[in-house]
Amino acid sequence: MASSKQVIDQTEKFSAHNYKPKEVVFASGDGVIVKNPEGEKFFDMLSAYSALNFGHKHPELIQAAKDQLDNVTLSSRAFYNNLLGEFLEKLCSMTGKTKALPMNTGAEAVETALKTARRWGNFVKGVEDGKQEIIVCSDNFHGRTLAIISMSTDPVARKGFGPFLPGFKVVEYGNLAELEAAINENTVAFLMEPIQGEAGVKCPPAGFMKKAYELCKSKNVLFIADEVQTGFARTGDMFAVQHEGFEPDIYIFGKALGGGVMPISAVVANEDILGVFTPGSHGSTFGGNPLACAVALKAMEILQRDNYPQMAKEKGEYFMSKLREIKNPKIVDVRGRGLLIGVEFNCDAAPYVKKLIAGGVLAKETHETTIRFAPPVVITKEQIDEAIEVIKKAFAE
């Protein structure tokens, strides 16, 4: 096996430099633990941005993939496959919706939701085609496609990629008055993350989401919840919006839906919204492929059977309580919900990340001053305790 240095050198030589990874090479993984080519162990506290809620190599998910590999892996949507209908029905059952549209990645699902909202706005609400407006939040992160960066407020994501797509308005995250003022007769949807992960694990003010939903209802505007990172138990609820006891018009899912094994995403809504699509108006060759559906079906079964939301809630509260015991005047906040946790510093957090990795805990800074901890939901209390000892040493004054 190539050494870590050889892998890094080769990757850097041939890869476009659109990422700047931490210098850790994954060669194997099991549960919360990953090993590099030299056999060194690390706690994975990032979980591929919540795609690995089940941990690495969950035996049931791996078996589901292996079994399906012996049958059929791809049909395209030119034909039916024997698992897509079952997958869609299960997803609708979990969400209480009546229709689902499968894609592959989170960004594709966000694009699909944007197209859904625009077409619904024209076909159903009666907004003139080309005048539809979608309201988004400051510091949002929904992906990196042209449409998505057009509504981003991150200059790094936007620089050099113009011209940008019109039809978006940005309001301050969690500001109900700004949202209300931004809505007009051409507004078709409001899109938000229930917790902003990339922005530094930022939660909106308590009650904001439900009030925003009620405002949208009163104005005939769709409320779209981007649950790509927060969905499927990460925050202590199956879906993060459930924390405020309401159901959005449109859910966007990805990441954990594929169990960390296969990319699969979806937009889920009712017939009166997703019914705007007709044959040829949207699609994806790999969207809803049987291999991904097989894994996703098993993932959804495990989530419900083993009560992952409760696991994330209890372990998250324990983890955060331990983090709050760490004494360092440079730590200004420990926040989050479930196992989506941010530790904010009043200085550059990168040196702390370097110390964490040296001690065997993998995490990453976001927005320079915040370190995000999002371990697999399967992490044990004993593993949290072991990791906390490393974190305490890394975060020492």
Side-chain angles (χ1 to χ4, degrees), residues 169-223:
K169 278 185 179 177
V170 180
V171 298
E172 183 186 16
Y173 185 67
N175 189 323
L176 194 69
E178 272 198 24
L179 173 61
E180 185 166 12
I183 294 173
N184 62 37
E185 68 276 6
N186 293 326
T187 307
V188 297
F190 171 56
L191 167 65
M192 73 170 289
E193 301 154 88
I195 298 175
Q196 290 189 324
E198 289 298 314
V201 191
K202 291 183 179 177
C203 302
F208 168 80
M209 286 191 292
K210 190 169 185 180
K211 288 174 185 172
Y213 170 75
E214 289 167 351
L215 173 62
C216 288
K217 284 286 92 183
S218 72
K219 303 286 189 179
N220 197 22
V221 169
L222 300 178
F223 185 107

Side-chain angles (χ1 to χ4, degrees), residues 106-318:
E108 285 180 311
V110 172
E111 286 275 345
T112 301
L114 297 176
K115 289 177 72 176
T116 302
R118 284 185 168 189
R119 186 169 260 219
W120 174 88
N122 178 231
F123 283 21
V124 179
K125 187 173 181 178
V127 177
E128 183 183 336
D129 196 16
K131 291 190 175 179
Q132 302 96 316
E133 290 182 356
I134 294 171
I135 300 172
V136 298
C137 298
S138 56
D139 297 324
N140 71 74
F141 183 85
H142 299 286
R144 300 188 190 277
T145 65
L146 277 172
I148 293 168
I149 65 168
S150 294
M151 61 191 189
S152 173
T153 59
D154 180 4
V156 176
R158 291 169 59 89
K159 188 176 180 182
F161 294 121
F164 297 108
L165 199 68
F168 299 108
K169 278 185 179 177
V170 180
V171 298
E172 183 186 16
Y173 185 67
N175 189 323
L176 194 69
E178 272 198 24
L179 173 61
E180 185 166 12
I183 294 173
N184 62 37
E185 68 276 6
N186 293 326
T187 307
V188 297
F190 171 56
L191 167 65
M192 73 170 289
E193 301 154 88
I195 298 175
Q196 290 189 324
E198 289 298 314
V201 191
K202 291 183 179 177
C203 302
F208 168 80
M209 286 191 292
K210 190 169 185 180
K211 288 174 185 172
Y213 170 75
E214 289 167 351
L215 173 62
C216 288
K217 284 286 92 183
S218 72
K219 303 286 189 179
N220 197 22
V221 169
L222 300 178
F223 185 107
I224 307 174
D226 181 346
E227 294 258 13
V228 171
Q229 189 169 157
T230 56
F232 301 107
R234 170 55 56 187
T235 66
D237 292 285
M238 188 62 79
F239 312 118
V241 292
Q242 292 173 334
H243 184 72
E244 293 194 2
F246 76 100
E247 188 181 287
D249 297 298
I250 298 176
Y251 280 109
I252 306 173
F253 297 129
K255 295 194 188 295
L257 184 57
V261 179
M262 286 292 295
I264 185 168
S265 63
V267 168
V268 187
N270 285 331
E271 166 71 30
D272 60 334
I273 295 169
L274 278 177
V276 298
F277 286 107
T278 50
S281 58
H282 192 57
S284 165
T285 299
F286 280 82
N289 71 79
L291 181 56
C293 286
V295 175
L297 276 162
K298 182 56 70 174
M300 288 187 281
E301 176 192 324
I302 294 167
L303 282 162
Q304 291 180 307
R305 182 195 72 203
D306 297 346
N307 200 351
Y308 268 51
Q310 187 63 27
M311 286 165 59
K313 185 174 188 293
E314 291 174 1
K315 293 170 184 179
E317 287 170 356
Y318 179 74

Side-chain angles (χ1 to χ4, degrees), residues 55-76:
H56 293 269
K57 214 169 62 183
H58 189 292
E60 291 179 81
L61 296 174
I62 297 300
Q63 193 59 53
K66 285 180 176 178
D67 291 345
Q68 190 58 36
L69 283 167
D70 287 330
N71 292 319
V72 64
T73 59
L74 184 62
S75 59
S76 88

Side-chain angles (χ1 to χ4, degrees), residues 75 77 81 83-84 87 102-104 264 284 286-290 292-293:
S75 59
R77 293 298 302 279
N81 73 65
L83 289 178
L84 177 57
F87 161 76
M103 299 296 284
N104 306 286
I264 185 168
S284 165
F286 280 82
N289 71 79
C293 286

Side-chain angles (χ1 to χ4, degrees), residues 39-56:
E40 295 175 296
K41 293 181 180 180
F42 300 87
F43 286 105
D44 183 355
M45 290 282 184
L46 195 57
S47 303
Y49 304 105
S50 298
L52 284 156
N53 286 4
F54 304 87
H56 293 269

